[in-house]
Amino acid sequence: MMRTRPLKVALLGCGVVGSEVARIMTTHADDLAARIGAPVELAGVAVRRPGKVREGIDPDLVTTDATALVKRGDIDVVVEVIGGIEPARTLITTAFEHGASVVSANKALLAQDGAALHAAADANGKDLYYEAAVAGAIPLIRPLRESLAGDKVNRVLGIVNGTTNFILDAMDTTGAGYQEALDEATALGYAEADPTADVEGFDAAAKAAILAGIAFHTRVRLDDVYREGMTEVTAADFASAKEMGCTIKLLAICERAADGASVTARVHPAMIPLSHPLANVRGAYNAVFVESDAAGQLMFYGPGAGGSPTASAVLGDLVAVCRNRLGGATGPGESAYAALPVSPMGDVVTRYHISLDVADKPGVLAQVATVFAEHGVSIDTVRQSGKDGEASLVVVTHRASDAALGGTVEALRKLDTVRGVASIMRVEGE
């Protein structure tokens, strides 16, 4: 039997995502009520610019006083889509203290202060859900947190930023340079006017921190994630990748060590074989590959950003939280019992593709090979080409630690026959 008294929802932020959340709440009100077991009512909308026309939203619901809205005491669920650290952090904790559960899409805040937010939710007996914080409409957090709760996840490997994937895909398929591909992404609305958070990997790093924490039952903060942007990727790198049967993606990689005693989380460009499912993720789409003991390999794919996809994830969380509210229960909270240490990037073991500019004369290859051997880095393949006294030497290694590779490159730079290190890229997905 459906309860007639509505559950009241406060919306913090009414931009691209917030306005879409409000629209769906209105147009799908009957369906949402049937799925929840009670109607949901938009009780207030906090915005920065109250004079802006917001189609479909009663102007009487709009306020600039977000603090007063979350303190009302009659609010059942607060939906936070304003982003950033403050005032979002204070508003969320205030909402818990005044009796509301929270649905958030705030990846930056969760990556930085997720443990404190979970503690505040637990202290007040409330829910904190955030499916929309990682991969838009793609169901990912709930499968990791609930569906795979009885399994052991060993690796999460994914494309979690649509802007960077669009740019790299354009460079791969059209031969465009980085700036040309970025300009196209900006013109089409895939890239912000300031794309730094995307192209330098900050956005993906925040998502990696959240995913690693859930997958490995360990607190992983943004500062624990190694981050490397993609602004230095060139058309020449893509040409080298194609010669190896690979393409290049900006990947978020969360791994459990082989001995199970530690974890790593990192974001960086990497060559990935064309045979790997992630290699065929095109345009602004996202995909995440999960490897676990019992379930094996799972792939989650779909639109990772945008108003409607992100709103879909927010509404899914809203339904779950409202159901919990009606049942007098809460859903899964933070699971950090494993408390595994997060290893530094120097301990990470992977393959490498190194492109060197060298003198075109006898003995160069022997010198380079000696340096690799002295640092314990095994060479898989070597490709050399050149003329007129200058040459290019491409070395692909077997698996080696980042620290060992770093020492190798430092020694190579000291050789008088090595003119420079043109590029270094990791090879993943094998």
Side-chain angles (χ1 to χ4, degrees):
M1 183 175 179
M2 183 178 293
R3 191 181 83 163
T4 57
R5 185 174 69 81
L7 292 160
K8 294 188 177 184
V9 178
L11 180 61
L12 307 183
C14 198
V16 173
V17 176
S19 59
E20 190 66 8
V21 169
R23 184 192 69 78
I24 295 173
M25 284 185 64
T26 301
T27 58
H28 295 180
D30 291 342
D31 286 336
L32 290 173
R35 294 166 190 171
I36 292 169
V40 287
E41 172 189 308
L42 188 59
V45 182
V47 300
R48 292 194 181 117
R49 298 189 299 276
K52 181 179 178 181
V53 176
R54 293 173 173 84
E55 187 178 348
I57 296 178
D58 183 349
D60 290 339
L61 297 178
V62 176
T63 178
T64 57
D65 194 344
T67 302
L69 179 59
V70 300
K71 282 184 174 182
R72 272 177 40 173
D74 65 335
I75 299 297
D76 293 288
V77 184
V78 169
V79 174
E80 183 271 311
V81 288
I82 56 178
I85 306 302
E86 287 291 358
R89 174 170 49 199
T90 299
L91 290 171
I92 289 174
T93 55
T94 302
F96 291 141
E97 292 165 0
H98 287 78
S101 291
V102 173
V103 172
S104 176
N106 196 330
K107 54 187 170 286
L109 177 58
L110 288 158
Q112 178 172 308
D113 289 319
L117 294 178
H118 274 292
D122 290 344
N124 291 280
K126 298 297 177 285
D127 274 325
L128 173 62
Y129 276 48
Y130 42 91
E131 185 68 63
V134 171
I138 305 172
L140 185 57
I141 289 178
R142 193 168 293 128
L144 282 173
R145 192 161 67 170
E146 299 178 30
S147 303
L148 295 174
D151 204 345
K152 179 184 177 184
V153 176
N154 296 309
R155 195 175 197 225
V156 180
L157 171 75
I159 298 163
V160 295
N161 183 280
T163 299
T164 55
N165 200 58
F166 179 90
I167 293 169
L168 292 173
D169 186 41
M171 293 176 69
D172 184 25
T173 56
T174 69
Y178 167 76
Q179 189 61 49
E180 184 182 353
L182 173 59
D183 291 344
E184 182 184 4
T186 304
L188 292 172
Y190 291 124
E192 301 286 348
D194 180 1
T196 302
D198 294 321
V199 300
E200 293 294 351
F202 291 101
D203 175 85
K207 295 170 181 176
I210 295 169
L211 291 174
I214 296 170
F216 306 133
H217 304 279
T218 292
R219 287 179 179 170
V220 179
R221 288 172 50 88
L222 181 58
D223 292 345
D224 295 321
V225 181
Y226 172 83
R227 177 194 55 79
E228 185 180 317
M230 48 159 278
T231 57
E232 301 301 317
V233 176
T234 66
D237 291 326
F238 274 100
S240 293
K242 287 181 179 179
E243 290 180 358
M244 290 180 58
C246 293
T247 188
I248 298 171
K249 300 290 186 182
L250 185 75
L251 298 177
I253 305 169
C254 312
E255 291 180 309
R256 189 189 300 270
D259 62 4
S262 64
V263 298
T264 58
R266 51 198 166 100
V267 168
H268 53 71
M271 294 182 179
I272 189 166
L274 294 175
S275 58
H276 195 282
L278 291 178
N280 295 310
V281 178
R282 302 296 183 186
Y285 274 68
N286 286 189
V288 177
F289 209 71
V290 178
E291 300 174 12
S292 69
D293 277 359
Q297 297 180 328
L298 307 170
M299 183 169 166
F300 301 83
Y301 170 83
S308 293
T310 305
S312 171
V314 169
L315 266 295
D317 278 350
L318 179 63
V319 169
V321 170
C322 285
R323 286 173 175 169
N324 291 344
R325 191 87 172 184
L326 288 179
T330 55
E334 182 189 33
S335 176
Y337 73 90
L340 296 171
V342 182
S343 296
M345 187 62 189
D347 293 346
V348 171
V349 175
T350 188
R351 297 179 66 206
Y352 290 87
H353 176 284
I354 305 103
S355 180
L356 304 171
D357 296 325
V358 299
D360 186 17
K361 62 182 185 180
V364 173
L365 179 56
Q367 284 186 320
V368 168
T370 298
V371 169
F372 275 88
E374 288 174 347
H375 288 79
V377 179
S378 176
I379 294 175
D380 182 16
T381 62
V382 177
R383 187 171 66 253
Q384 185 173 8
S385 62
K387 61 181 180 179
D388 300 327
E390 298 296 330
S392 174
L393 189 65
V394 174
V395 178
V396 179
T397 74
H398 287 291
R399 292 175 65 83
S401 72
D402 191 79
L405 197 282
T408 303
V409 172
E410 185 177 346
L412 287 171
R413 295 183 194 275
K414 295 177 181 179
L415 294 178
D416 57 8
T417 52
V418 174
R419 311 298 192 211
V421 180
S423 69
I424 303 171
M425 192 166 294
R426 297 168 185 87
V427 182
E428 300 285 350
E430 294 183 313

